[in-house]
Amino acid sequence: MRTETDKAQLYDRQLRLWQKDGQAALERARVVVLGSSTLASESLKNLVLPGIGEFIVVDDALVSEADVRTNFFVRASDVGGSRAQSIVRNLCEMNPDVHGQAVVKAPADFADLSNVSLVIACAQPDKTVRALGERCWSANIPMITASNAGFIAEIRTAVREHTIVESHGKVWPDLRVMAPFAELRAYADSFDLGALDSTDLAHVPFVVILIKAADKWAAEMGLEKKGLTFKQRKEVLALVQQMAPAAGEENFDEAVEAVNTSCSDYVVSNDVNRILTDPAANTADAQTSNFWLLANALRRYVASEYGAGKMPHSGAIPDMKADTQSYVNLLRIYKQKAEQDKAELTQCLRKVVQEAALADDHVSAGEIDTFCKNASQLRLVRTHALHHEAETAPELWDNLVNEGVSEHYTLFRAAGVFLEKHGRYPGIPDADTGAGDLDAQCEQDARELRAVAVDLMTAWGNKDPEVAESLVAEFVRSGYMELHNVAAVVGGIVAQETIKLITHQYVPQNGICIIDTANNLLAAVKA
C-alpha cells in the first residue's frame, strides 16, 4: 500500500481539482458496474487510475473474439472465460490501491445495493435499467446509464437528490463596495487620496477607490447607493477615471473594470435561493443530512438582522495592484469578516441541531468552514426518474427537440422495445440468418425500428413524428457494436460524472447527454 506522501505525489494533479476531501470520498466509494463491455472497461479505467476505493463488475458474458479486437482489457488467452473476471483482473493491475471484484451473474439478477455509492449500467436493456433504477431511486443511490450504438451514444443520470457544497463555479468577488461593513469602512476612510503623491496613489487597492467613488457619486447626486441603473454605474465609472492621476494606472483600471459587478446591489443567486426556500431547509430532525442542517442554519442567518440578506463572506478577494502591506491589511479585514460570519452561522446551526435533538458537535468544524466558504456556490440537483420512461413521455422532450437529438433519444428507446420483442438488437443477425440473408434482415430491422420509433413519438403526443432514415440506418448498421474510440470518449464522460457525484464537487449533468460522433454532435440536455 502507498503512503500518504506517495499518494500526494501520484495524485498531485487531481488533488488540485478536488482537494483531499474529494480524494478521500473517492477512496471510500464503492461503485457497481453492470456489464463488462468495452464501454464498461473504459469507464472503469478512468475511475481506477484516480483511485476509486472499490468497484464491482456484474456480468455473465464470456470473452469472445470480437471482444479481443475492441476491448483493451481482455486478452486473446481470455477467450471463452468470464469477461467480468478478465477486465477486473486487468484493470486492477493499473492501480494496486484499488479493490476490484467480479460477480458472474446476469446484471438483471443483481440485487445487493448495500454500501453502494453509485451504480453504472453500461449497455444494459431498458427493462434492466428501469428495474434497478427504481431501487436506486428509492435508496437515493445515483445511477448513470450509458449505451453505445456504433458512432452514437447516450448517457443518462438519475439521482433523487444530490447536494453540492463545492461546485467550483465562477462567482464575482464579494467586495461589499456599496455597503461596506464597519471594518472595511474604517479601512477605506483611512486613505486620503487627495493627500497621496502619484507613487502612493498608484498602490491604493481598487476596492478603496471604488468605495470612494461610490461615496462621492451618492453625495453629489443626493441618492442612496442602492439599485444603481446602468447609466448611474457609468457615472461612477466616470468619477473613477477622473480620480486617476494619469491614464493607464493599473489600480484605477482595475476599479473601472470592476464597476459593473461591484457597484450593483447584493443578490443571492437563484441556485442558492432554491435551496433556502426548499422545504428541506426548514426541517430539523435526527434523519436530516448535514447539508440540510447547514442550509437551515443559512436560511436563518440570511433572514437575521446580522445577515441582512447576504451570504457569509468567504474571506477571499482577488489579486490586485497594491503595495504588499495594503493588500495584506485588506485581506486580513475580509478574513476577519469571514470568521465573524462563520461564528454567527455556527450560532444559528447550534439552534438547528438542538431542535433536531442532536449533539452540538454533530456537524464538524471542518464542514462548517467549507460550507461558509462556498455558501454562494451551493447547488441542488434533482433529476427525473428513469423508471417512469416506459409509461410516460420523457419530461425533457421539449429540450431534446430544441437540441436536435429527439430522434436519437427515441431510437435508443425503440431499440429497447425491439430487444424485448426479438431478444436481440436491430442489426444483429438471428441464429438462423445466413450471410446472404443479412442485408434483407437489416432492411427489415430498419423498417421495424423506424415504425417503433414513430409509434413512441405518437404515444408521446407528437402529431407529425419524423425519424431520419440515415439515423435509423446507423443504429441498424452498428448492430449495437461498441467502437473502441467512441467507447473511450463516452467512458471518460461517464467517469467524470461519477467523480462529481461521489465527491459532491462540481455540478453533474442533470438529464441526458447524446453523442453523435459521425455528425460531430454532443448535446447535454438539462432538466
Side-chain angles (χ1 to χ4, degrees), residues 15 19-20 51 53 59 84 92 126 137 180 221 332 352 365 392 431-432 436 446 470 474 481 508:
L15 285 170
Q19 308 299 320
K20 289 184 178 180
D59 203 1
C92 286
D126 280 357
W137 187 267
M221 297 297 178
R332 184 182 299 116
V352 173
T392 60
D432 56 352
S470 59
E474 172 58 23
M481 175 172 285

Side-chain angles (χ1 to χ4, degrees), residues 239-308:
L239 283 176
V240 172
Q241 292 173 326
Q242 292 171 15
M243 293 163 60
E249 290 292 351
E250 191 174 344
N251 56 336
F252 282 87
D253 289 345
E254 290 174 342
V256 167
E257 292 176 2
V259 165
N260 278 332
T261 56
S262 297
C263 294
S264 301
D265 289 350
Y266 189 96
V267 176
V268 176
S269 73
N270 290 335
D271 289 313
V272 175
N273 259 325
R274 179 186 171 210
I275 292 170
L276 298 183
T277 57
D278 193 280
N282 203 22
T283 302
D285 55 40
Q287 284 70 48
T288 304
S289 70
N290 285 5
F291 176 90
W292 287 113
L293 292 173
L294 285 161
N296 192 329
L298 180 62
R299 178 183 58 81
R300 301 180 188 204
Y301 171 96
V302 172
S304 70
E305 183 179 354
Y306 178 91

Side-chain angles (χ1 to χ4, degrees), residues 3 12 32 70 91 103 112 145 157 178 194 243 245 247 274 318 368:
T3 65
D12 176 66
V32 170
T70 60
L91 282 164
V103 176
D112 184 12
T145 73
T157 303
M178 301 304 282
M243 293 163 60
R274 179 186 171 210
I368 297 171

Side-chain angles (χ1 to χ4, degrees), residues 397 406-407 410 450 453-454 457 462-469:
W397 180 256
S406 58
E407 296 175 37
T410 304
R450 188 174 186 278
V454 168
M457 286 184 171
N462 294 271
K463 295 181 180 178
D464 298 306
E466 276 296 329
V467 182
E469 291 185 7

